[in-house]
């Protein structure tokens, strides 16, 4: 298994939308590589015949009826917003595009 | 006049019901205590004196008018800042949520309010609950009341310290890998992680959705049980919450204290002990087993070999789910925005998260992003989920031959602030005994086992029960607590240093 | 690059290349509430007034699945001939975008609710093409970005504003298998497929299915490969690189976008240049596609099972109950009706094209003979609707009005000409046909003495007619009939008049 290198960390940080300075990259890369090495041991016991557990307590079909509940008011919805315009959340220019 | 800060929640509740005190008196006493000692302790991020007193006065008025009130009405409580409280700032210990005032209450908050419990304030925590020492809080660490140079445990160090410093009789914590139990252990208090789904997660700021649970923190087992019954139970707003009644935990605590443990089978988990465990921790643990035997329990040993992989699985599953849960902190709808005025939203997002998240959060988010990424999923996240299955199987096998499993809660007593900050892996080892329960979803409790002889610091005793059998924790815990209190002539917290006049 | 792409002509291109295409349709469900919270699922509210902690992605919020959305998704899957998964988990699709409140979308990844189906699409000329369905899965919609400054589009905008009212609305995404072997009919088939899906979701009652309102959205994937030489197996030739075209907002745009992409890709390939696998956007105004912003690498969505939601495990009994609620396949229904109504292929096609089938069916259900019902809706009413520039369904006349009208004709109370007058009255808002007939005094004169008098008068005016009829020229009677109709302002029973004339002439028909 490949270990995690500085370039990987830079790429992952970008994917996770976290700016990292060079100093950050240096500091975190070493730590992360060590952690990855430590946790990679899970593959040793994860046999093909072992099913994965995604939910610790097995349950199924938990749903709710299609009935309207009170929403927040517009004021409440916008209450934490850093920037508001016309009842909407204002964000700077978007570079990318909708998936 | 009684010092209300030294009483248990049960004693306070009884006194209020009997008219021997008013809630306003009790709350005032606690606010005074907080003012006196929280400078050095720093358990609280926000104190809501006005709100707590207003509720206290309302409860007093209603009680005077003869209204029927819930059991814990008027008993004050501290709330870990991971639980959303409408109108009170909620930060999850992070700068990225500095100043955020939620427009809604979490379900547990609503239940506390319905129980008429004045909320003293929000307690400190490792940022987004990632940590074992509260040193990763964006607002500075909390100090252990037993020794202010030491950590109070984490991530819920604030709640545990508030209890140990007598700033609150009850507290709410959350436990993802031990964040209630380990702080309880190193502060000489009681903390319970309920069965996964036993307490609603609606309004609990998510760290790892398949591991997180909110739980009760107190100074006694019975107090924890009373609080457990207030916050527990089904919630339609949380699809993973159990659609079943809360196990009869208060009743179980009483039975444990009064009736002993005849017929109860207790199993020591071989893998959760031995090398790496501090001598005083092992000693107090062994003595506690003797007390359980004396109370009538049979003590055996079981082996859970897959627990050796629990830490690795945990530090894959948690970061993976966290990397997704923390994506919402993106500067758009709430929280911090770092905007240089000429940027794109992509740049603002990245700059905001860089400024708002601390190092541990960044580490785990990046690790989680890696573990989920294309080509790596099977080896990391996928494999970790399989280890989870193995751990559940080991628990199932163990519970086939015992009613509860026991271990020391954590390998050491409280270490010094700063001691483990340089090496994340060392810090992770603090959770080695508590993590398996979260992976399997089973409930766990930590209660004081005494003080380690070598340094006089608290040691924690952990009890684990099968899923949905939370009451067993309280029965066994109450029995042990009664025996230990009897042995030393009082609760362990009688030995905590006097904080007033400290620093 | 934005200069117009070089294009080959559609037919020309498909002489050299073989097209392969696929369609992804997003169906917005018409449930009362959103997919994972109880906010109202309604169009047109003030921004950010149909939001709650869940669909706003506030810290601490948690989703809970809408049971009606699951039911609708399963019914859609069944109608598409799919198998329904015994156990399906939701999954998180992780990416950052301002309109995505949690910065992940709850969707389904490798466990879609419905999979492996097929649906027949009937083209205008009656040809049937079977479209393979890969999967139909449930997901939630994102909010809406509005771009401010610049031209209003995303490029050159100064900033953007986000409204999360639409965020969390339930969607079912239907993905076809690659469709091959239809050659030059590709555009036609694609259009017909989307129209079929539209009809289906409306017939199921699970969506408005209106592309112009966004409750039905289509993305078109297209690639070209070399055309097989005679004797060569076309399917042995691997697929080429495909483009995905988004923003295709109407049936017409689907055809045009395919024409454009075929031409564009063929021009590249013919010039020896490669086709780039990319997302493109359709522009209605320029009738072309442009590339999306190129990304350095494909987005890694890091799918994993949604831990906050439990698996959906529909019981076999429930699935069968839902299967029993399915409406007839639109094409099968049309074939059955055509046979019941004894219409020719052309007559049926015209009725379909005019959106008259439902109206005719309702009229027949009200008691009218099929031919008569068709005649009214496809004749007088279709003409009127066209003149007024509106849809047939928007005329102020209902099937039961037509049924009432035809009863009046069938019983002889009025004739065809009077019926048209009555209908005109109904369209003008004077009331039901029976009301109009009464108000206006429209009635066929069938009183024999009155008719005999009128006939005699007409015969007197044209004396030679009687002799002609006796002579064997029965058709000469027509002139008298015409005269009598004129004299009675069209209210005579023409058949009876004719009988009387022949009787006068002493002739049997």
């Amino acid at each position: 298994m490949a270990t995690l290198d500085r370039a990987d960390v830079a790429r992952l940080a970008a994917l996770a939308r976290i700016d990292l300075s060079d100093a950050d990259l240096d500091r975190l890369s070493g730590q992360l590589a060590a952690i990855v090495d430590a946790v990679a041991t899970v593959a040793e016991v994860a046999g093909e015949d072992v099913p994965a557990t995604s939910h610790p307590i097995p349950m199924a079909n938990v749903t709710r009826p299609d009935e309207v509940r009170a929403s927040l008011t517009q004021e409440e919805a916008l209450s934490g917003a850093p920037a508001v315009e016309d009842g909407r959340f204002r964000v700077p220019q978007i570079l990318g595009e909708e998936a | 006049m009684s010092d209300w800060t030294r009483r248990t929640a049960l004693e306070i509740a009884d006194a209020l019901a009997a008219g021997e005190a008013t809630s306003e008196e009790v709350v005032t006493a606690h606010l005074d205590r907080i003012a006196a000692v929280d400078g050095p302790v720093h358990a609280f991020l926000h104190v809501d004196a006005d709100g707590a007193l207003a509720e206290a006065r309302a409860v007093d008025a209603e009680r005077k008018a003869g209204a029927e009130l819930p059991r814990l009405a008027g008993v004050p409580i501290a709330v870990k800042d991971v639980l959303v409280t409408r109108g009170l700032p909620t930060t999850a210990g992070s700068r990225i949520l500095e100043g955020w005032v939620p427009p809604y209450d979490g379900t547990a908050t609503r239940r506390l309010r319905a129980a008429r419990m004045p909320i003293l304030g929000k307690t400190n925590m490792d940022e987004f609950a990632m940590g074992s020492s509260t040193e990763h809080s964006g607002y500075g660490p909390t100090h252990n009341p037993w020794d202010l140079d030491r950590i109070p445990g984490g991530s819920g160090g604030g709640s545990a310290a508030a209890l140990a410093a007598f700033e609150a009789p009850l507290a709410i914590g959350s436990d993802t890998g031990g964040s209630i139990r380990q702080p309880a252990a190193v502060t000489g208090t009681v903390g319970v992680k309920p069965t996964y789904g036993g307490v609603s997660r609606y309004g609990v700021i998510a760290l790892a959705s398949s591991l997180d649970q909110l739980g009760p923190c107190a100074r006694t087992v019975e107090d924890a049980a009373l609080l457990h019954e207030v916050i527990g139970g089904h919630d339609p707003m949380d699809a993973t919450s159990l659609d079943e009644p809360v196990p009869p935990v208060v009743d179980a605590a009483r039975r444990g204290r009064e009736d002993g443990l005849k017929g109860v089978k207790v199993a020591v988990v071989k893998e959760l002990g031995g090398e790496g465990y501090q001598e005083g921790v092992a000693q107090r643990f062994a003595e506690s087993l003797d007390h359980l035997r004396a109370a009538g329990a049979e003590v055996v040993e079981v082996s859970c070999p897959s627990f050796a992989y629990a830490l690795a699985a945990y530090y894959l599953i948690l970061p993976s789910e966290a990397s997704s849960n923390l994506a919402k902190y993106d500067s758009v709808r709430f929280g911090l925005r770092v905007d240089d005025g000429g940027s794109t939203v992509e740049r603002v997002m990245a700059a905001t998260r860089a400024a708002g998240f601390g190092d541990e959060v960044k580490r785990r988010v990046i690790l989680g992003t890696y573990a989920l990424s294309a080509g790596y999923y099977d080896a990391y996240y996928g494999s970790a989920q399989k280890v989870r299955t193995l751990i559940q199987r080991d628990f199932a096998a163990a519970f086939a031959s015992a009613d509860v499993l026991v271990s020391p809660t954590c390998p050491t007593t409280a270490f010094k602030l700063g001691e483990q900050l340089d090496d994340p892996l060392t810090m992770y080892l603090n959770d080695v005994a508590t993590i398996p329960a979260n992976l399997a979803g089973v409930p766990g409790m930590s209660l004081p086992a005494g003080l380690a002889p070598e340094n006089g610091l608290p040691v924690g005793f952990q009890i684990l029960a099968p899923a949905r059998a939370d009451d067993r924790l309280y029965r066994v815990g109450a029995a042990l607590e009664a025996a230990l209190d009897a042995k030393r002539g009082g609760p362990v917290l009688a030995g905590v240093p006097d904080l007033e006049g400290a620093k | 690059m934005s200069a117009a792409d070089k294009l080959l002509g559609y037919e020309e291109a498909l002489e050299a290349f073989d097209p392969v295409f696929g369609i992804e349709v997003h169906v917005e469900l018409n449930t009362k509430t959103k997919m994972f919270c109880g906010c109202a699922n309604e169009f047109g509210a003030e921004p950010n007034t149909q939001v709650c902690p869940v669909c706003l992605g506030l810290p601490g919020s948690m989703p809970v699945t809408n049971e009606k959305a699951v039911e609708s998704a399963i019914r859609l899957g069944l109608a598409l001939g799919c198998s329904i998964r015994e156990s399906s988990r939701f999954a998180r699709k992780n990416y950052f975008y301002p309109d995505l409140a949690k910065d992940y979308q709850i969707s389904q990844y490798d466990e879609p609710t419905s999979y492996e189906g097929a649906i027949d699409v009937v083209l205008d000329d009656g040809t049937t093409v079977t479209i393979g369905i890969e999967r139909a899965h449930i997901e939630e919609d994102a909010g809406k970005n509005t771009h401010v400054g610049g031209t209003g589009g995303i490029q050159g905008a100064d900033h953007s504003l986000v409204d999360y009212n639409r965020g969390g609305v339930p969607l079912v995404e239907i993905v076809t298998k690659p469709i091959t072997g239809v050659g030059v009919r590709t555009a036609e088939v694609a259009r017909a497929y989307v129209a079929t899906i539209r009809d289906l979701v409306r017939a199921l009652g699970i969506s408005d299915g209106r592309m112009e309102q966004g409750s039905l959205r289509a993305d078109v994937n297209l690639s070209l490969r070399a055309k097989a030489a005679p004797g060569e197996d076309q399917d042995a030739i691997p697929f080429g690189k495909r483009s995905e075209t988004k923003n295709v907002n109407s049936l017409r745009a689907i055809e045009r976008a395919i024409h454009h992409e075929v031409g564009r890709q063929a021009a590249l390939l013919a010039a020896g240049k490669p086709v780039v696998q990319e997302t493109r956007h359709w522009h209605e105004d320029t009738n072309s596609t442009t590339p999306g912003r190129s990304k350095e690498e494909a987005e890694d969505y890091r799918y994993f099972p949604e831990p906050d939601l439990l698996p959906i495990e529909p019981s076999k009994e429930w699935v069968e109950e839902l299967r029993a609620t399915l409406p007839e396949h639109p094409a099968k229904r049309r074939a059955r009706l055509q046979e019941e109504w004894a219409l020719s292929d052309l007559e049926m096609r015209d009725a379909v094209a005019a959106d008259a089938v439902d109206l005719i069916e309702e009229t027949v259900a009200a008691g009218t003979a099929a031919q008569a019902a068709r005649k009214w809706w496809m004749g007088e009413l279709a003409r009127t609707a066209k003149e007024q520039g509106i849809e047939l369904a928007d005329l102020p006349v209902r099937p039961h009005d037509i049924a009432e009208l035809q009863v009046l004709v069938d019983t002889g109370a009025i004739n065809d000409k009077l019926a048209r007058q009555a209908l005109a009255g109904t369209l003008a808002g004077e009331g039901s046909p029976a009301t109009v007939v009464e108000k206006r005094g429209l009635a066929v004169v069938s009183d024999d003495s009155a008719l005999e008098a009128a006939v005699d008068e007409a015969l007197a005016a044209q004396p030679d007619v009687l002799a002609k009829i006796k002579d064997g020229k029965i058709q000469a009677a027509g002139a008298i009939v015409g005269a009598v109709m004129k004299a009675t302002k069209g209210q005579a029973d023409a058949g009876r008049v004719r009988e009387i004339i022949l009787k006068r002439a002493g002739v049997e028909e």
Side-chain angles (χ1 to χ4, degrees):
Chain A
M1 198 154 319
T3 42
L4 199 62
D5 67 15
R6 201 176 184 280
D8 289 327
V9 176
R11 178 180 54 84
L12 291 167
L15 196 53
R17 294 290 189 277
I18 302 178
D19 276 346
L20 290 182
S21 65
D22 282 335
D24 289 336
L25 269 174
D26 289 336
R27 187 177 65 253
L28 294 177
S29 299
Q31 292 170 338
L32 282 166
I35 296 171
V36 168
D37 280 345
V39 299
T41 55
V42 288
E44 287 168 20
V45 284
E48 289 238 339
D49 54 325
V50 181
T53 294
S54 54
H55 296 78
I57 309 291
M59 288 190 282
N61 294 327
V62 179
T63 58
R64 63 179 173 85
D66 187 25
E67 279 155 24
V68 177
R69 288 175 59 102
S71 292
L72 294 173
T73 64
Q74 193 192 68
E75 195 185 327
E76 287 169 331
L78 298 170
S79 62
V84 171
E85 185 181 307
D86 276 349
R88 295 176 175 85
F89 296 85
R90 180 185 162 133
V91 297
Q93 181 192 46
I94 302 172
L95 207 56
E97 69 210 17
E98 288 142 77
Chain B
M1 191 177 85
S2 235
D3 182 356
W4 294 110
T5 63
R6 300 283 158 157
R7 315 301 285 281
T8 66
L10 183 55
E11 288 167 342
I12 294 171
D14 287 345
L16 291 174
E20 287 158 18
T22 61
S23 177
E24 185 174 352
E25 278 177 67
V26 172
V27 169
T28 302
H30 285 89
L31 291 170
D32 289 346
R33 175 69 179 172
I34 292 168
V37 305
D38 207 54
V41 175
H42 193 227
F44 283 87
L45 292 178
H46 180 82
V47 177
D48 182 24
D50 289 345
L53 284 169
E55 177 65 348
R57 289 177 188 129
V59 170
D60 288 338
E62 285 172 44
R63 203 188 300 272
K64 199 161 173 188
E68 185 140 341
L69 291 164
R71 189 80 173 80
L72 294 176
V75 179
I77 186 165
V79 173
K80 184 178 184 181
D81 211 17
V82 77
L83 177 59
V84 165
T85 46
R86 187 189 174 121
L88 287 185
T90 301
T91 68
S94 178
R95 290 285 178 183
I96 214 167
L97 280 179
E98 186 168 10
W100 182 56
V101 179
Y104 81 105
D105 267 338
T107 296
T109 310
R110 279 195 294 109
R111 290 184 180 174
L112 293 176
R113 297 200 204 274
R116 310 306 303 280
M117 299 172 71
I119 296 175
L120 293 166
K122 310 300 288 298
T123 59
N124 199 12
M125 52 185 285
D126 282 300
E127 186 180 5
F128 287 108
M130 299 190 202
S132 310
S133 66
T134 310
E135 292 173 288
H136 292 304
S137 166
Y139 299 93
T142 297
H143 301 255
N144 193 325
W146 287 85
D147 177 343
L148 294 170
D149 289 332
R150 293 180 185 266
I151 55 98
S155 62
S159 282
L163 291 166
F166 303 101
E167 294 172 285
L170 293 170
I172 295 290
S174 71
D175 189 308
T176 304
S179 292
I180 285 177
R181 290 164 287 156
Q182 183 254 12
V186 301
T187 57
T189 56
V190 178
V192 177
K193 182 200 86 67
T195 299
Y196 182 82
V199 178
S200 170
R201 284 186 299 121
Y202 186 79
V204 180
I205 296 180
L207 166 57
S209 312
S210 73
L211 303 169
D212 294 344
Q213 262 298 278
L214 211 65
C217 308
R219 291 192 287 266
T220 67
V221 171
E222 194 161 9
D223 277 1
L226 287 165
L227 183 54
H228 191 139
E229 289 192 356
V230 169
I231 58 175
H234 181 239
D235 180 17
M237 301 293 282
D238 172 357
T240 62
S241 75
L242 298 174
D243 193 358
E244 296 153 24
V246 180
V249 294
V250 172
D251 192 58
R254 208 153 289 160
R255 279 191 301 123
R257 181 163 43 81
E258 289 169 6
D259 301 341
L261 298 177
K262 193 152 154 65
V264 175
K265 214 156 157 196
V266 173
V268 174
V269 180
K270 185 167 138 216
E271 286 75 12
L272 302 182
E275 202 187 306
Y277 283 72
Q278 185 179 322
E279 198 180 314
V281 168
Q283 184 184 337
R284 291 298 180 225
F285 178 69
E287 287 165 13
S288 300
L289 293 177
D290 289 336
H291 284 296
L292 292 180
R293 286 189 193 93
E298 184 190 341
V299 179
V300 299
E301 192 184 73
V302 287
S303 173
C304 300
S306 67
F307 283 18
Y309 295 89
L311 204 68
Y314 177 81
Y315 280 105
L316 277 169
I317 293 169
L318 182 149
S320 300
E321 294 182 8
S323 69
S324 179
N325 284 328
L326 267 62
K328 59 174 58 67
Y329 304 98
D330 63 2
S331 83
V332 175
R333 289 162 301 284
F334 48 80
L336 183 69
R337 175 181 292 188
V338 172
D339 192 344
D340 64 9
S343 241
T344 63
V345 72
E346 289 83 358
R347 299 244 24 77
V348 169
M349 281 184 179
T352 298
R353 291 158 67 80
F357 287 154
D359 266 7
E360 185 61 31
V361 170
K362 286 174 181 159
R363 268 192 288 273
R364 297 197 196 189
V365 167
I366 290 171
L367 181 57
T369 305
Y370 181 54
L372 290 175
S373 54
Y376 294 97
Y377 180 99
D378 286 338
Y380 293 124
Y381 187 74
S383 293
Q385 297 285 48
K386 291 185 174 196
V387 171
R388 237 181 147 151
T389 305
L390 297 175
I391 288 172
Q392 283 196 328
R393 287 178 184 172
D394 276 1
F395 267 115
F399 283 125
S401 54
D403 298 305
V404 296
L405 309 180
V406 294
S407 76
T409 304
C410 51
T412 68
T413 52
F415 48 90
K416 283 203 183 283
L417 287 155
E419 194 179 301
Q420 294 185 7
L421 274 180
D422 287 337
D423 184 10
L425 279 170
T426 306
M427 185 69 85
Y428 296 165
L429 287 172
N430 288 293
D431 297 330
V432 70
T434 46
I435 275 169
N438 300 82
L439 288 169
V442 302
M445 167 190 282
S446 178
L447 72 151
L451 304 178
E454 61 266 34
N455 55 24
L457 293 170
V459 171
F461 185 89
Q462 175 174 243
I463 308 168
L464 303 171
R468 298 177 166 91
D470 308 44
D471 50 303
R472 294 187 198 179
L473 304 173
Y474 288 89
R475 184 172 173 205
V476 175
L480 178 59
E481 178 187 68
L484 286 168
D485 284 353
K487 172 105 187 282
R488 65 183 158 234
V492 69
L493 279 168
V496 75
D498 183 2
L499 284 169
E500 294 201 46
K503 281 245 173 66
Chain C
M1 66 153 285
S2 58
D5 294 298
K6 189 165 188 295
L7 304 176
L8 283 190
Y10 180 72
E11 277 86 14
E12 183 192 347
L14 296 180
E15 271 164 31
F17 298 103
D18 179 66
V20 176
F21 76 100
I23 313 264
E24 284 160 23
V25 174
H26 285 87
V27 178
E28 205 177 84
L29 298 180
N30 61 4
T31 52
K32 287 191 273 189
T33 62
K34 294 186 178 183
M35 188 66 221
F36 298 116
C37 66
C39 289
N41 174 15
E42 261 164 48
F43 190 76
E46 282 296 295
N48 294 305
T49 55
Q50 280 167 193
V51 294
C52 71
V54 179
C55 57
L56 208 52
L58 294 186
S61 60
M62 294 182 68
V64 184
T65 305
N66 180 337
E67 69 182 8
K68 186 77 183 174
V70 173
E71 180 190 294
S72 299
I74 291 175
R75 291 178 69 231
L76 179 53
L78 290 171
L80 291 169
C82 291
S83 303
I84 305 299
R85 256 194 103 85
E86 278 176 21
S87 179
S88 57
R89 287 175 299 182
F90 289 98
R92 291 193 188 176
K93 179 179 182 183
N94 297 283
Y95 66 97
F96 287 85
Y97 205 74
D99 66 2
L100 203 60
K102 301 182 291 297
D103 293 290
Y104 59 85
Q105 178 198 38
I106 300 179
S107 178
Q108 291 178 319
Y109 177 52
D110 53 354
E111 299 175 11
T113 295
S114 312
Y115 62 101
E116 283 300 309
I119 187 164
D120 282 345
V121 170
V122 180
L123 305 178
D124 283 350
D125 69 352
T127 313
T128 301
V129 178
T130 302
I131 306 288
I133 303 294
E134 178 81 40
R135 54 189 277 149
H137 70 254
I138 304 171
E139 59 184 35
E140 56 174 346
D141 207 349
K144 189 123 180 59
N145 288 327
T146 312
H147 309 296
V148 178
T151 56
I154 191 174
Q155 301 190 15
D158 173 71
H159 59 278
S160 298
L161 304 177
V162 195
D163 170 19
Y164 295 97
N165 281 353
R166 197 185 66 181
V169 164
L171 299 175
V172 176
E173 179 178 340
I174 308 169
V175 181
T176 67
K177 298 192 180 206
I179 301 146
T180 60
V182 291
V184 73
R185 303 196 79 172
T186 288
E188 190 190 346
V189 173
R191 180 203 170 114
Y193 167 73
V194 178
T196 302
I197 297 297
R198 179 200 59 186
D199 292 345
L200 183 60
V201 301
R202 287 183 191 172
L204 284 165
I206 62 173
S207 172
D208 297 336
R210 308 198 46 176
M211 291 185 82
E212 68 279 11
Q213 279 191 3
S215 52
L216 194 81
R217 301 167 219 163
D219 297 336
V220 178
N221 298 326
L222 185 104
S223 67
L224 297 177
R225 57 184 171 178
K227 202 151 187 176
E232 196 187 356
D233 181 12
Q234 179 68 66
D235 285 329
I237 299 179
F239 293 169
K241 287 267 188 289
R242 67 164 202 269
S243 67
E244 181 183 5
T245 302
K246 298 173 104 72
N247 198 39
V248 188
N249 290 335
S250 66
L251 293 176
R252 192 184 56 183
I254 290 174
E255 282 194 274
R256 290 191 183 167
I258 287 184
H259 279 244
H260 181 269
E261 273 303 290
V262 165
R264 184 187 69 85
Q265 291 189 19
L268 286 169
L269 294 171
K273 297 190 198 147
V275 170
V276 176
Q277 178 143 326
E278 63 186 348
T279 301
R280 299 179 72 88
H281 291 268
W282 171 251
H283 300 279
E284 193 66 38
D285 48 357
T286 56
N287 230 19
S288 66
T289 63
T290 56
R293 197 163 299 274
S294 70
K295 298 170 188 174
E296 277 152 32
E297 50 182 274
E299 185 82 54
D300 179 358
Y301 294 117
R302 290 155 281 135
Y303 288 97
F304 67 100
E306 170 58 79
D308 287 336
L309 294 173
L310 283 312
I312 301 290
E313 297 180 351
S315 71
K316 288 199 164 42
E317 291 76 30
W318 188 45
V319 171
E320 289 317 305
E321 267 173 45
L322 292 179
R323 197 191 298 277
T325 72
L326 295 183
E328 211 176 352
H329 185 296
K332 286 198 171 60
R333 170 176 171 256
R334 285 201 284 271
R336 173 179 62 81
L337 291 175
Q338 181 180 336
E339 199 187 312
E340 280 175 19
W341 298 345
L343 299 186
S344 71
D345 287 349
L346 182 59
E347 286 170 335
M348 192 63 194
R349 270 213 301 286
D350 287 346
V352 171
D355 270 339
V357 174
D358 291 349
L359 295 163
I360 296 170
E361 192 186 26
E362 277 180 66
T363 309
V364 168
T368 308
Q371 277 288 356
R374 191 194 72 85
K375 184 201 82 179
W376 285 115
W377 286 105
M378 295 303 297
E380 199 67 24
L381 291 169
R383 191 161 41 244
T384 307
K386 189 170 175 186
E387 278 165 20
Q388 295 182 20
I390 60 177
E391 298 293 318
L392 259 182
D394 293 332
L395 287 171
V397 68
R398 309 261 31 86
H400 64 77
D401 293 322
I402 301 302
E404 185 180 277
L405 185 68
Q406 189 59 36
V407 164
L408 293 170
V409 171
D410 288 342
T411 56
I414 55 175
N415 57 21
D416 190 72
K417 187 167 171 183
L418 294 175
R420 282 167 211 279
Q421 290 179 37
L423 185 56
T426 301
L427 286 167
E430 291 169 32
S432 75
T435 307
V436 174
V437 161
E438 197 183 315
K439 274 196 197 158
R440 291 197 192 180
L442 305 172
V444 168
V445 178
S446 45
D447 167 24
D448 268 8
S449 54
L451 288 178
E452 283 168 3
V455 165
D456 289 338
E457 213 178 297
L459 281 172
Q462 299 185 58
D464 55 327
V465 170
L466 212 51
K468 281 184 188 167
I469 295 173
K470 284 180 180 165
D471 224 8
K473 289 192 182 130
I474 312 278
Q475 56 269 40
I480 304 297
V481 174
V484 170
M485 294 305 283
K486 192 168 170 187
T488 59
K489 293 185 175 49
Q491 291 184 230
D493 179 349
R496 187 77 194 107
V497 168
R498 193 183 149 80
E499 279 173 20
I500 294 168
I501 296 166
L502 292 179
K503 199 168 101 187
R504 284 282 185 275
V507 165
E508 294 276 332
E509 191 141 28

